Amino acid sequence: MGLGRGALVEVMVGDDPDPWSAIGFAVDDAGVSRVGGVRIRLVGADGRRGLLGWTLAGEVDDVGNGHIHAVDGLPTTVATAAPTGGDADTTAHPNGATGLDHLVVVTPDLDRTTTALAALSLDARRTREAGRGRLQRFFRLGEVILEVVGPAEPSGDGPATFWGLAFTVGDIEATAAQLGDRAGPPRPAVQPGRRITTLRGGAEGGVSVPVAFMSPHECSRPGGAPGQRL
């Protein structure tokens, strides 16, 4: 089926499936967890760890359909059709995850990374001060927010790198209870009206990606006030 250009289709993670199952994600026999409209592909912990790449919806003339390219250092695949195998939107996860809220990238040169993303028709929506001389710049990957963090002034010529994932859950208190001592207590998030809990342990627990869980946007709750959406 067709996809909206620039939508996030899949992220590839250098982890084994079992640690992700242990924190409440349903993972199939192929090592894939479908969270909302995004596939989390767990390729094993024998090689590189962390977020290894992403697949974005696009057109053949973006960067070449089905081929991996470095977009300012970010391994990127463009797909013109959704992956097959299961209904992503109906997968139930014990931790209550309903979708991927945002993906975080860090860069030493925010404007350079912004220009590289623009080549994929990903245009910056908003920039905000993040403190300590850093800025956050936000983009849309379909239903997912891309948050790019970098210094206000370029600090080097190294590549942009993937950093972490934040998932939306239906009930943040229930998620925190399910995770137990694997996560901290829910606290107010930067976004007004939302709460967040962060996974503890990192690679020591087998999950090499910083992971957070967030309560829904206010505007997505029945009777909720409109929230700040990009």
Side-chain angles (χ1 to χ4, degrees):
M1 80 181 185
L3 293 166
R5 188 170 181 171
L8 182 64
V9 176
E10 181 176 276
V11 294
M12 185 167 62
V13 180
D15 288 344
D16 292 323
D18 286 351
W20 284 74
S21 297
I23 61 170
F25 286 99
V27 182
D28 67 19
D29 292 341
V32 173
S33 182
R34 298 173 177 84
V35 188
V38 178
R39 293 159 57 102
I40 312 298
R41 181 175 296 278
L42 304 167
V43 299
D46 294 337
R48 292 172 51 228
R49 307 299 304 278
L51 286 170
L52 304 180
W54 61 5
T55 298
L56 302 175
E59 298 175 0
V60 174
D61 60 356
D62 282 333
V63 290
N65 185 56
H67 299 287
I68 298 175
H69 297 260
V71 177
D72 201 33
L74 302 172
T76 302
T77 304
V78 171
T80 57
T84 58
D87 186 346
D89 294 323
T90 60
T91 302
H93 298 278
N95 60 22
T98 58
L100 180 60
D101 188 84
H102 63 274
L103 180 154
V104 181
V105 163
V106 295
T107 177
D109 189 330
L110 191 56
D111 288 339
R112 186 198 68 202
T113 302
T114 299
T115 298
L117 292 170
L120 296 180
S121 299
L122 300 177
D123 297 322
R125 301 293 188 91
R126 184 167 64 96
T127 302
R128 69 180 293 272
E129 296 279 350
R132 294 183 293 177
R134 299 174 302 159
L135 300 175
Q136 293 168 300
R137 188 161 290 166
F138 299 94
F139 303 76
R140 266 289 180 190
L141 308 176
E143 290 301 308
V144 180
I145 296 168
L146 169 62
E147 175 186 332
V148 182
V149 182
E153 297 293 335
S155 62
D157 56 6
T161 55
F162 295 110
W163 190 75
L165 302 170
F167 296 91
T168 303
V169 297
D171 184 334
I172 191 69
E173 298 293 345
T175 297
Q178 192 272 339
L179 291 169
D181 60 6
R182 295 187 180 96
R187 64 186 188 277
V190 172
Q191 297 90 337
R194 302 187 73 188
R195 302 179 75 204
I196 185 170
T197 183
T198 304
L199 187 70
R200 291 172 173 157
E204 293 181 4
V207 177
S208 64
V209 177
V211 171
F213 300 92
M214 303 185 69
S215 62
H217 290 271
E218 287 293 318
C219 61
S220 66
R221 297 176 180 173
Q228 186 177 28
R229 300 297 299 272
L230 296 179

